[in-house]
Coordinates of all heavy atoms in Angstrom, one line a residue:
R782 N 3.3 18.7 -13.9 CA 4.3 19.2 -14.7 C 4.0 19.0 -16.2 O 4.8 19.3 -17.1 CB 5.7 18.6 -14.4 CG 6.2 18.8 -13.0 CD 7.4 18.0 -12.7 NE 7.8 18.2 -11.3 CZ 8.8 17.5 -10.7 NH1 9.5 16.7 -11.4 NH2 9.1 17.7 -9.4
I785 N 4.6 13.4 -20.0 CA 4.0 12.2 -20.5 C 5.0 11.3 -21.2 O 6.0 11.8 -21.8 CB 2.8 12.5 -21.6 CG1 2.1 11.3 -22.0 CG2 3.4 13.2 -22.8 CD1 1.2 10.7 -20.9
C821 N 9.7 10.1 -37.6 CA 10.0 10.2 -39.0 C 11.4 9.7 -39.2 O 12.4 10.2 -38.6 CB 9.9 11.7 -39.4 SG 10.4 12.0 -41.1
N825 N 16.6 14.1 -43.3 CA 16.6 15.5 -43.8 C 15.6 16.4 -43.2 O 15.6 17.6 -43.3 CB 16.4 15.5 -45.4 CG 17.6 14.8 -46.1 OD1 18.7 14.9 -45.7 ND2 17.2 14.0 -47.1
L836 N -8.2 26.5 -36.2 CA -7.4 27.6 -35.7 C -6.7 28.3 -36.8 O -6.4 27.7 -37.9 CB -6.4 27.1 -34.7 CG -6.9 26.4 -33.4 CD1 -5.8 25.8 -32.6 CD2 -7.7 27.4 -32.6
E859 N -3.6 18.9 -40.5 CA -2.7 18.5 -41.5 C -1.3 18.6 -40.9 O -0.9 19.5 -40.1 CB -2.7 19.5 -42.7 CG -4.0 19.5 -43.5 CD -4.0 18.3 -44.4 OE1 -2.9 17.6 -44.6 OE2 -5.1 17.9 -45.0
F862 N 6.3 18.2 -42.9 CA 7.6 18.2 -42.3 C 8.4 19.3 -43.0 O 8.2 19.7 -44.1 CB 8.3 16.9 -42.5 CG 7.7 15.8 -41.6 CD1 6.6 15.1 -42.0 CD2 8.2 15.5 -40.4 CE1 6.0 14.1 -41.2 CE2 7.7 14.6 -39.5 CZ 6.6 13.9 -40.0
N863 N 9.4 19.8 -42.3 CA 10.3 20.9 -42.8 C 11.7 20.5 -42.8 O 12.2 19.8 -41.8 CB 10.2 22.1 -41.9 CG 8.7 22.5 -41.5 OD1 7.9 22.9 -42.4 ND2 8.3 22.2 -40.3
A865 N 16.0 21.7 -43.5 CA 16.8 22.8 -43.0 C 16.7 24.0 -43.8 O 17.1 25.1 -43.4 CB 18.2 22.3 -42.9
I871 N 4.5 17.1 -47.5 CA 3.3 16.5 -46.9 C 3.2 15.0 -47.2 O 3.3 14.2 -46.4 CB 2.1 17.2 -47.5 CG1 2.1 18.7 -47.1 CG2 0.8 16.6 -46.9 CD1 1.0 19.6 -47.7
P880 N -0.5 7.6 -30.1 CA -1.0 8.4 -28.9 C -0.6 7.7 -27.6 O -0.4 6.5 -27.6 CB -2.5 8.2 -29.2 CG -2.7 6.9 -29.9 CD -1.5 6.8 -30.8
L882 N -2.4 8.3 -24.6 CA -3.6 8.0 -23.9 C -4.8 8.1 -24.9 O -4.7 8.6 -26.0 CB -3.8 9.1 -22.8 CG -2.8 9.1 -21.7 CD1 -2.9 10.3 -20.8 CD2 -2.9 7.8 -20.8
Y905 N -15.9 19.7 -29.3 CA -16.6 20.3 -30.4 C -16.5 19.5 -31.7 O -17.5 19.3 -32.4 CB -16.1 21.7 -30.7 CG -16.8 22.4 -31.8 CD1 -18.1 22.9 -31.7 CD2 -16.1 22.6 -33.0 CE1 -18.7 23.5 -32.8 CE2 -16.7 23.2 -34.1 CZ -18.0 23.7 -34.0 OH -18.6 24.3 -35.0
L908 N -18.8 16.6 -31.3 CA -20.1 17.1 -31.4 C -20.5 17.2 -32.9 O -21.6 16.7 -33.3 CB -20.3 18.4 -30.7 CG -21.7 19.1 -30.9 CD1 -22.8 18.3 -30.2 CD2 -21.6 20.5 -30.3
M917 N -30.9 21.1 -29.5 CA -29.8 20.8 -28.7 C -30.0 21.0 -27.2 O -30.7 21.8 -26.8 CB -28.6 21.6 -29.2 CG -28.1 21.2 -30.6 SD -27.0 22.5 -31.3 CE -28.2 23.7 -31.7
I922 N -25.0 23.7 -26.0 CA -25.0 25.2 -26.3 C -23.9 25.8 -25.5 O -23.1 26.7 -25.9 CB -26.3 25.8 -25.9 CG1 -27.4 25.3 -26.9 CG2 -26.3 27.4 -26.0 CD1 -27.1 25.6 -28.4
G933 N -7.8 33.0 -31.5 CA -7.3 32.5 -32.8 C -8.2 31.5 -33.5 O -7.7 30.7 -34.4
L943 N -21.6 30.3 -34.5 CA -22.6 31.3 -34.4 C -23.9 31.0 -35.1 O -24.9 31.2 -34.6 CB -22.0 32.6 -35.1 CG -20.9 33.3 -34.2 CD1 -20.3 34.4 -35.1 CD2 -21.5 33.9 -33.0
V944 N -23.8 30.3 -36.3 CA -25.0 29.9 -37.0 C -25.8 28.9 -36.1 O -27.0 29.0 -36.0 CB -24.6 29.2 -38.3 CG1 -25.8 28.5 -38.9 CG2 -24.2 30.3 -39.3
T977 N -29.1 34.8 -47.1 CA -30.4 35.4 -47.3 C -31.3 35.0 -46.1 O -32.1 35.9 -45.6 CB -31.0 34.9 -48.6 OG1 -30.2 35.3 -49.7 CG2 -32.4 35.4 -48.8
N985 N -37.3 39.9 -39.7 CA -38.4 39.4 -38.9 C -38.3 39.7 -37.4 O -39.3 39.8 -36.7 CB -38.6 37.9 -39.1 CG -39.1 37.5 -40.5 OD1 -39.8 38.3 -41.1 ND2 -38.8 36.4 -41.0
F1001 N -30.2 43.0 -52.3 CA -31.6 42.6 -51.9 C -32.3 41.8 -52.9 O -33.5 41.5 -52.7 CB -32.4 43.8 -51.4 CG -32.6 44.8 -52.5 CD1 -33.7 44.7 -53.4 CD2 -31.8 45.9 -52.6 CE1 -33.9 45.6 -54.4 CE2 -32.0 46.9 -53.6 CZ -33.1 46.7 -54.5
A1079 N -43.0 67.7 -57.3 CA -43.4 68.3 -58.6 C -42.4 69.3 -59.0 O -42.1 69.5 -60.2 CB -44.8 68.9 -58.4
L1117 N -42.9 79.1 -68.0 CA -43.7 79.8 -68.9 C -42.9 80.4 -70.0 O -43.3 80.4 -71.2 CB -44.5 80.9 -68.1 CG -45.5 80.5 -67.1 CD1 -46.1 81.6 -66.4 CD2 -46.6 79.7 -67.8
A1121 N -43.3 79.8 -74.0 CA -43.6 81.0 -74.8 C -42.6 81.2 -75.9 O -42.9 81.5 -77.0 CB -43.5 82.3 -73.9
L1125 N -43.4 81.3 -79.7 CA -43.1 82.5 -80.4 C -42.1 82.4 -81.6 O -42.3 82.9 -82.7 CB -42.6 83.6 -79.4 CG -42.3 85.0 -79.9 CD1 -43.5 85.7 -80.4 CD2 -41.6 85.8 -78.8
E1147 N -42.5 91.8 -65.3 CA -42.3 91.9 -66.8 C -41.7 90.7 -67.3 O -40.8 90.1 -66.7 CB -41.5 93.2 -67.1 CG -42.2 94.5 -66.8 CD -41.3 95.7 -67.2 OE1 -40.2 95.4 -67.8 OE2 -41.7 96.8 -67.0
W1155 N -48.1 86.0 -75.8 CA -49.6 86.3 -75.5 C -50.2 87.1 -76.6 O -51.3 86.9 -77.0 CB -49.7 86.9 -74.1 CG -51.1 87.1 -73.7 CD1 -51.9 86.2 -73.0 CD2 -52.0 88.2 -73.9 NE1 -53.1 86.6 -72.8 CE2 -53.2 87.9 -73.3 CE3 -51.8 89.4 -74.5 CZ2 -54.3 88.8 -73.4 CZ3 -52.9 90.3 -74.6 CH2 -54.1 90.0 -74.0
K1157 N -49.1 87.4 -79.7 CA -49.2 86.7 -80.9 C -50.4 85.8 -80.9 O -51.2 85.6 -81.9 CB -48.0 85.8 -81.1 CG -48.0 84.9 -82.3 CD -46.7 84.1 -82.4 CE -46.8 83.1 -83.6 NZ -45.6 82.2 -83.7

Side-chain angles (χ1 to χ4, degrees):
R782 298 174 186 175
I785 188 69
C821 175
N825 296 319
L836 298 173
E859 291 286 346
F862 290 85
N863 313 291
I871 301 178
L882 296 168
Y905 178 72
L908 174 67
M917 288 168 288
I922 295 301
L943 287 169
V944 167
T977 299
N985 286 333
F1001 59 85
L1117 294 176
L1125 181 66
E1147 294 182 1
W1155 186 87
K1157 178 181 176 180

